[in-house]
PDB file of all heavy atoms in Angstrom:
ATOM      1  N   ALA U 273      -4.091   1.332 -99.696  1.00  0.00           N
ATOM      2  CA  ALA U 273      -3.083   0.439-100.040  1.00  0.00           C
ATOM      3  C   ALA U 273      -1.888   0.494 -99.091  1.00  0.00           C
ATOM      4  O   ALA U 273      -1.356  -0.426 -98.651  1.00  0.00           O
ATOM      5  CB  ALA U 273      -2.554   0.670-101.405  1.00  0.00           C
ATOM      6  N   PHE U 274      -1.610   1.666 -98.833  1.00  0.00           N
ATOM      7  CA  PHE U 274      -0.159   1.917 -98.005  1.00  0.00           C
ATOM      8  C   PHE U 274      -0.427   1.516 -96.518  1.00  0.00           C
ATOM      9  O   PHE U 274       0.312   0.833 -95.932  1.00  0.00           O
ATOM     10  CB  PHE U 274       0.249   3.370 -98.044  1.00  0.00           C
ATOM     11  CG  PHE U 274       1.539   3.553 -97.619  1.00  0.00           C
ATOM     12  CD1 PHE U 274       2.715   3.581 -98.453  1.00  0.00           C
ATOM     13  CD2 PHE U 274       1.881   3.832 -96.221  1.00  0.00           C
ATOM     14  CE1 PHE U 274       4.016   3.652 -98.032  1.00  0.00           C
ATOM     15  CE2 PHE U 274       3.240   3.964 -95.853  1.00  0.00           C
ATOM     16  CZ  PHE U 274       4.267   3.908 -96.703  1.00  0.00           C
ATOM     17  N   VAL U 275      -1.625   1.968 -96.025  1.00  0.00           N
ATOM     18  CA  VAL U 275      -1.861   1.643 -94.564  1.00  0.00           C
ATOM     19  C   VAL U 275      -2.115   0.152 -94.334  1.00  0.00           C
ATOM     20  O   VAL U 275      -1.597  -0.290 -93.409  1.00  0.00           O
ATOM     21  CB  VAL U 275      -2.998   2.525 -94.133  1.00  0.00           C
ATOM     22  CG1 VAL U 275      -3.410   2.190 -92.667  1.00  0.00           C
ATOM     23  CG2 VAL U 275      -2.697   4.030 -94.205  1.00  0.00           C
ATOM     24  N   VAL U 276      -2.916  -0.442 -95.201  1.00  0.00           N
ATOM     25  CA  VAL U 276      -3.172  -1.823 -95.097  1.00  0.00           C
ATOM     26  C   VAL U 276      -1.773  -2.647 -95.116  1.00  0.00           C
ATOM     27  O   VAL U 276      -1.500  -3.513 -94.366  1.00  0.00           O
ATOM     28  CB  VAL U 276      -4.124  -2.381 -96.112  1.00  0.00           C
ATOM     29  CG1 VAL U 276      -4.268  -3.927 -96.101  1.00  0.00           C
ATOM     30  CG2 VAL U 276      -5.538  -1.789 -95.837  1.00  0.00           C
ATOM     31  N   ASN U 277      -0.913  -2.301 -96.141  1.00  0.00           N
ATOM     32  CA  ASN U 277       0.325  -2.833 -96.174  1.00  0.00           C
ATOM     33  C   ASN U 277       1.204  -2.604 -94.892  1.00  0.00           C
ATOM     34  O   ASN U 277       2.055  -3.460 -94.568  1.00  0.00           O
ATOM     35  CB  ASN U 277       1.081  -2.216 -97.438  1.00  0.00           C
ATOM     36  CG  ASN U 277       0.935  -3.118 -98.636  1.00  0.00           C
ATOM     37  OD1 ASN U 277       1.450  -4.213 -98.602  1.00  0.00           O
ATOM     38  ND2 ASN U 277       0.256  -2.760 -99.662  1.00  0.00           N
ATOM     39  N   ARG U 278       0.971  -1.510 -94.324  1.00  0.00           N
ATOM     40  CA  ARG U 278       1.781  -1.205 -93.212  1.00  0.00           C
ATOM     41  C   ARG U 278       1.459  -2.178 -92.043  1.00  0.00           C
ATOM     42  O   ARG U 278       2.343  -2.363 -91.190  1.00  0.00           O
ATOM     43  CB  ARG U 278       1.543   0.284 -92.669  1.00  0.00           C
ATOM     44  CG  ARG U 278       2.466   1.281 -93.287  1.00  0.00           C
ATOM     45  CD  ARG U 278       3.492   1.664 -92.301  1.00  0.00           C
ATOM     46  NE  ARG U 278       4.673   2.088 -92.857  1.00  0.00           N
ATOM     47  CZ  ARG U 278       5.681   2.664 -92.167  1.00  0.00           C
ATOM     48  NH1 ARG U 278       5.398   2.986 -90.839  1.00  0.00           N
ATOM     49  NH2 ARG U 278       6.767   2.854 -92.744  1.00  0.00           N
ATOM     50  N   ILE U 279       0.262  -2.597 -92.020  1.00  0.00           N
ATOM     51  CA  ILE U 279      -0.123  -3.669 -90.903  1.00  0.00           C
ATOM     52  C   ILE U 279       0.837  -4.793 -91.120  1.00  0.00           C
ATOM     53  O   ILE U 279       1.387  -5.300 -90.140  1.00  0.00           O
ATOM     54  CB  ILE U 279      -1.611  -3.999 -91.004  1.00  0.00           C
ATOM     55  CG1 ILE U 279      -2.361  -2.748 -90.698  1.00  0.00           C
ATOM     56  CG2 ILE U 279      -1.903  -5.183 -90.033  1.00  0.00           C
ATOM     57  CD1 ILE U 279      -3.976  -2.921 -90.993  1.00  0.00           C
ATOM     58  N   GLY U 280       0.930  -5.307 -92.418  1.00  0.00           N
ATOM     59  CA  GLY U 280       1.727  -6.433 -92.618  1.00  0.00           C
ATOM     60  C   GLY U 280       3.178  -6.069 -92.349  1.00  0.00           C
ATOM     61  O   GLY U 280       3.957  -6.810 -91.783  1.00  0.00           O
ATOM     62  N   ASP U 281       3.613  -4.861 -92.683  1.00  0.00           N
ATOM     63  CA  ASP U 281       4.929  -4.391 -92.509  1.00  0.00           C
ATOM     64  C   ASP U 281       5.384  -4.363 -91.016  1.00  0.00           C
ATOM     65  O   ASP U 281       6.462  -4.761 -90.581  1.00  0.00           O
ATOM     66  CB  ASP U 281       5.179  -3.009 -93.066  1.00  0.00           C
ATOM     67  CG  ASP U 281       4.960  -2.869 -94.489  1.00  0.00           C
ATOM     68  OD1 ASP U 281       4.869  -3.984 -95.086  1.00  0.00           O
ATOM     69  OD2 ASP U 281       4.998  -1.817 -95.142  1.00  0.00           O
ATOM     70  N   ALA U 282       4.445  -3.935 -90.140  1.00  0.00           N
ATOM     71  CA  ALA U 282       4.669  -3.918 -88.770  1.00  0.00           C
ATOM     72  C   ALA U 282       5.010  -5.324 -88.263  1.00  0.00           C
ATOM     73  O   ALA U 282       6.026  -5.483 -87.434  1.00  0.00           O
ATOM     74  CB  ALA U 282       3.473  -3.351 -87.998  1.00  0.00           C
ATOM     75  N   ALA U 283       4.293  -6.307 -88.627  1.00  0.00           N
ATOM     76  CA  ALA U 283       4.593  -7.720 -88.327  1.00  0.00           C
ATOM     77  C   ALA U 283       5.894  -8.089 -88.836  1.00  0.00           C
ATOM     78  O   ALA U 283       6.654  -8.820 -88.182  1.00  0.00           O
ATOM     79  CB  ALA U 283       3.471  -8.584 -88.783  1.00  0.00           C
ATOM     80  N   PHE U 284       6.145  -7.702 -90.024  1.00  0.00           N
ATOM     81  CA  PHE U 284       7.412  -8.050 -90.710  1.00  0.00           C
ATOM     82  C   PHE U 284       8.662  -7.562 -89.806  1.00  0.00           C
ATOM     83  O   PHE U 284       9.640  -8.249 -89.605  1.00  0.00           O
ATOM     84  CB  PHE U 284       7.444  -7.685 -92.135  1.00  0.00           C
ATOM     85  CG  PHE U 284       8.677  -8.065 -92.838  1.00  0.00           C
ATOM     86  CD1 PHE U 284       9.426  -9.096 -92.648  1.00  0.00           C
ATOM     87  CD2 PHE U 284       9.061  -7.333 -94.108  1.00  0.00           C
ATOM     88  CE1 PHE U 284      10.477  -9.482 -93.268  1.00  0.00           C
ATOM     89  CE2 PHE U 284      10.117  -7.718 -94.801  1.00  0.00           C
ATOM     90  CZ  PHE U 284      10.845  -8.830 -94.508  1.00  0.00           C
ATOM     91  N   LEU U 285       8.387  -6.302 -89.419  1.00  0.00           N
ATOM     92  CA  LEU U 285       9.435  -5.689 -88.599  1.00  0.00           C
ATOM     93  C   LEU U 285       9.701  -6.516 -87.284  1.00  0.00           C
ATOM     94  O   LEU U 285      10.865  -6.746 -86.921  1.00  0.00           O
ATOM     95  CB  LEU U 285       9.033  -4.295 -88.159  1.00  0.00           C
ATOM     96  CG  LEU U 285       9.261  -3.193 -89.123  1.00  0.00           C
ATOM     97  CD1 LEU U 285       8.743  -1.823 -88.563  1.00  0.00           C
ATOM     98  CD2 LEU U 285      10.776  -3.044 -89.414  1.00  0.00           C
ATOM     99  N   LEU U 286       8.601  -6.906 -86.725  1.00  0.00           N
ATOM    100  CA  LEU U 286       8.729  -7.840 -85.614  1.00  0.00           C
ATOM    101  C   LEU U 286       9.535  -9.056 -85.845  1.00  0.00           C
ATOM    102  O   LEU U 286      10.352  -9.529 -85.084  1.00  0.00           O
ATOM    103  CB  LEU U 286       7.322  -8.155 -84.922  1.00  0.00           C
ATOM    104  CG  LEU U 286       6.551  -7.015 -84.351  1.00  0.00           C
ATOM    105  CD1 LEU U 286       5.310  -7.488 -83.812  1.00  0.00           C
ATOM    106  CD2 LEU U 286       7.269  -6.274 -83.229  1.00  0.00           C
ATOM    107  N   ALA U 287       9.223  -9.666 -87.041  1.00  0.00           N
ATOM    108  CA  ALA U 287       9.915 -10.851 -87.455  1.00  0.00           C
ATOM    109  C   ALA U 287      11.405 -10.541 -87.559  1.00  0.00           C
ATOM    110  O   ALA U 287      12.196 -11.375 -87.166  1.00  0.00           O
ATOM    111  CB  ALA U 287       9.406 -11.365 -88.736  1.00  0.00           C
ATOM    112  N   ILE U 288      11.725  -9.536 -88.141  1.00  0.00           N
ATOM    113  CA  ILE U 288      13.136  -9.112 -88.276  1.00  0.00           C
ATOM    114  C   ILE U 288      13.825  -9.160 -86.869  1.00  0.00           C
ATOM    115  O   ILE U 288      14.948  -9.532 -86.718  1.00  0.00           O
ATOM    116  CB  ILE U 288      13.365  -7.865 -89.101  1.00  0.00           C
ATOM    117  CG1 ILE U 288      12.837  -7.940 -90.478  1.00  0.00           C
ATOM    118  CG2 ILE U 288      14.921  -7.379 -89.097  1.00  0.00           C
ATOM    119  CD1 ILE U 288      12.923  -6.691 -91.290  1.00  0.00           C
ATOM    120  N   MET U 289      13.172  -8.366 -86.034  1.00  0.00           N
ATOM    121  CA  MET U 289      13.782  -8.150 -84.677  1.00  0.00           C
ATOM    122  C   MET U 289      13.951  -9.595 -83.895  1.00  0.00           C
ATOM    123  O   MET U 289      14.867  -9.756 -83.302  1.00  0.00           O
ATOM    124  CB  MET U 289      12.865  -7.247 -83.846  1.00  0.00           C
ATOM    125  CG  MET U 289      13.064  -5.838 -84.423  1.00  0.00           C
ATOM    126  SD  MET U 289      12.250  -4.599 -83.367  1.00  0.00           S
ATOM    127  CE  MET U 289      10.775  -4.448 -84.322  1.00  0.00           C
ATOM    128  N   LEU U 290      12.843 -10.415 -84.094  1.00  0.00           N
ATOM    129  CA  LEU U 290      12.926 -11.651 -83.509  1.00  0.00           C
ATOM    130  C   LEU U 290      14.071 -12.538 -84.038  1.00  0.00           C
ATOM    131  O   LEU U 290      14.847 -13.178 -83.335  1.00  0.00           O
ATOM    132  CB  LEU U 290      11.641 -12.470 -83.659  1.00  0.00           C
ATOM    133  CG  LEU U 290      11.426 -13.845 -83.018  1.00  0.00           C
ATOM    134  CD1 LEU U 290      11.788 -13.760 -81.506  1.00  0.00           C
ATOM    135  CD2 LEU U 290      10.074 -14.410 -83.262  1.00  0.00           C
ATOM    136  N   ILE U 291      14.240 -12.390 -85.316  1.00  0.00           N
ATOM    137  CA  ILE U 291      15.397 -13.119 -86.053  1.00  0.00           C
ATOM    138  C   ILE U 291      16.696 -12.681 -85.424  1.00  0.00           C
ATOM    139  O   ILE U 291      17.598 -13.437 -85.047  1.00  0.00           O
ATOM    140  CB  ILE U 291      15.297 -12.951 -87.564  1.00  0.00           C
ATOM    141  CG1 ILE U 291      14.214 -13.849 -88.030  1.00  0.00           C
ATOM    142  CG2 ILE U 291      16.582 -13.427 -88.143  1.00  0.00           C
ATOM    143  CD1 ILE U 291      13.968 -13.649 -89.578  1.00  0.00           C
ATOM    144  N   PHE U 292      16.822 -11.277 -85.368  1.00  0.00           N
ATOM    145  CA  PHE U 292      18.121 -10.790 -84.825  1.00  0.00           C
ATOM    146  C   PHE U 292      18.380 -11.176 -83.487  1.00  0.00           C
ATOM    147  O   PHE U 292      19.484 -11.565 -82.999  1.00  0.00           O
ATOM    148  CB  PHE U 292      18.172  -9.267 -84.994  1.00  0.00           C
ATOM    149  CG  PHE U 292      19.371  -8.659 -84.492  1.00  0.00           C
ATOM    150  CD1 PHE U 292      20.596  -8.779 -85.235  1.00  0.00           C
ATOM    151  CD2 PHE U 292      19.475  -8.069 -83.229  1.00  0.00           C
ATOM    152  CE1 PHE U 292      21.800  -8.344 -84.741  1.00  0.00           C
ATOM    153  CE2 PHE U 292      20.667  -7.728 -82.667  1.00  0.00           C
ATOM    154  CZ  PHE U 292      21.835  -7.767 -83.393  1.00  0.00           C
ATOM    155  N   SER U 293      17.284 -11.056 -82.534  1.00  0.00           N
ATOM    156  CA  SER U 293      17.503 -11.366 -81.186  1.00  0.00           C
ATOM    157  C   SER U 293      17.881 -12.679 -80.911  1.00  0.00           C
ATOM    158  O   SER U 293      18.599 -13.141 -79.920  1.00  0.00           O
ATOM    159  CB  SER U 293      16.285 -10.968 -80.402  1.00  0.00           C
ATOM    160  OG  SER U 293      15.276 -11.903 -80.583  1.00  0.00           O
ATOM    161  N   ARG U 294      17.347 -13.658 -81.804  1.00  0.00           N
ATOM    162  CA  ARG U 294      17.692 -15.079 -81.525  1.00  0.00           C
ATOM    163  C   ARG U 294      18.765 -15.732 -82.405  1.00  0.00           C
ATOM    164  O   ARG U 294      19.494 -16.644 -81.960  1.00  0.00           O
ATOM    165  CB  ARG U 294      16.472 -15.957 -81.871  1.00  0.00           C
ATOM    166  CG  ARG U 294      15.233 -15.699 -80.935  1.00  0.00           C
ATOM    167  CD  ARG U 294      15.682 -15.978 -79.563  1.00  0.00           C
ATOM    168  NE  ARG U 294      14.642 -15.727 -78.565  1.00  0.00           N
ATOM    169  CZ  ARG U 294      14.056 -16.664 -77.729  1.00  0.00           C
ATOM    170  NH1 ARG U 294      14.420 -17.816 -77.803  1.00  0.00           N
ATOM    171  NH2 ARG U 294      13.135 -16.185 -76.915  1.00  0.00           N
TER     172      ARG U 294
END
Side-chain angles (χ1 to χ4, degrees):
Chain U
F274 196 90
V275 174
V276 172
N277 262 296
R278 270 256 151 169
I279 297 172
D281 297 352
F284 187 20
L285 279 177
L286 292 180
I288 299 175
M289 288 184 262
L290 182 55
I291 285 173
F292 178 77
S293 72
R294 294 302 175 118

